[in-house]
Amino acid sequence: MEIGLANEKDGISFFKVFYGVIGTKDKTISKEAEISFISWFLENFHNPDYFEFGMTNTLKEYRSWLYTDVENCKYHEIDNLSKKLNNFLDGRWFLNGQASKQYLDYLELKESREAAVDARKKSNISIAIAILALLVSTGFGIYQNITAPKPPFEVRVIEDSTKTDELEQEVKELKVKLSRADLLINIYESDD
C-alpha cells in the first residue's frame, strides 16, 4: 500500500509492486503465496485501462503461468506469460480509495501508538520525580523533628505582684492630687 500511495500520480505496474515487496526477480516465494499476493493486489489496486480483463481470468491465467513446468523456464520469465496478461499486469495500476484509507488509518494508528508509548514514558518519569520529591520532603520533615529542641516538661508561671501593687498605689496618689487640683480650679473660678 505504501508503494501504491507513493505512485498515486503516475501509477505503478504489478511487477514493480511485487518486486518492491519481495525484492528481486531472483528471490522467490511459494507459488501459493504469490497467488495470495496477486489476489490481494487485484482487490486493492485498479487499472483504468483494462476493464475487460476480469479478476477471475487474471487469477486463472496467472496461476496457469506459475504452475507451468516448462523446461529451462526461469522464475517470472515474461516470455511464458500471455501477451494480454503481461500487458494487463504491466500497465498503470492505482491504489483504490478504500486501500488508501486503510493505509492512512494504519499510519495514524502507528503514530498514535508511538505517541502513547512516549506519553507513558514521560508520565512514568513524572511519577518518579513526584515520588522522589515526596521522599525528600518526608525525610526533611523527619530530620527536623529529630534535630528540633525538645520543649520543657513543666512550665511554672510566677507572678510578681510587688510591681503591680506599687503601680496601683501610685495611681491612687495621682487621683488624689487630681481631685485637689480640680477643687482649687473650681475655687479660683468661683472667686472671679
Side-chain angles (χ1 to χ4, degrees), residues 59-127:
L59 286 175
K60 282 181 185 176
E61 281 199 41
Y62 199 81
R63 182 186 305 256
S64 172
W65 173 61
L66 281 177
Y67 286 98
T68 301
D69 190 13
V70 179
E71 198 172 307
N72 298 323
C73 177
K74 291 188 178 176
Y75 179 72
H76 274 211
E77 269 191 358
I78 301 302
D79 296 341
N80 297 326
L81 188 61
S82 79
K83 205 62 157 165
K84 190 174 183 183
L85 181 60
N86 182 47
N87 289 340
F88 179 61
L89 293 175
D90 205 29
R92 294 176 331 144
W93 290 84
F94 298 91
L95 191 64
N96 66 29
Q98 183 178 357
S100 295
K101 174 83 170 86
Q102 286 175 343
Y103 181 67
L104 293 175
D105 288 345
Y106 161 75
L107 290 178
E108 282 182 20
L109 176 64
K110 184 178 173 185
E111 186 177 316
S112 297
R113 285 183 176 176
E114 289 171 357
V117 167
D118 186 46
R120 187 180 326 149
K121 286 179 185 176
K122 288 180 180 177
S123 69
N124 288 342
I125 290 171
S126 297
I127 290 170

Side-chain angles (χ1 to χ4, degrees), residues 3 11 28 35 48 58 81 84 106 108 121 128 132 134 146 154-155 161 172 180 184 192:
I3 295 170
T28 61
I35 293 295
T58 304
L81 188 61
K84 190 174 183 183
Y106 161 75
E108 282 182 20
K121 286 179 185 176
L132 182 64
L134 182 65
I146 291 172
E154 187 178 329
V155 176
S161 62
K172 285 179 186 177
R180 282 187 199 158
L184 285 175
D192 278 340

Side-chain angles (χ1 to χ4, degrees), residues 21 28 40 55 80 99 128 156 171 174 185:
V21 172
T28 61
W40 170 84
M55 183 173 169
N80 297 326
R156 293 183 187 172
V171 168
L174 285 174
I185 290 174

Side-chain angles (χ1 to χ4, degrees), residues 161-178:
S161 62
T162 56
K163 192 76 166 166
T164 308
D165 292 339
E166 288 176 4
L167 286 174
E168 285 179 9
Q169 184 63 32
E170 201 173 309
V171 168
K172 285 179 186 177
E173 289 174 5
L174 285 174
K175 282 183 181 179
V176 170
K177 286 181 182 177
L178 280 174

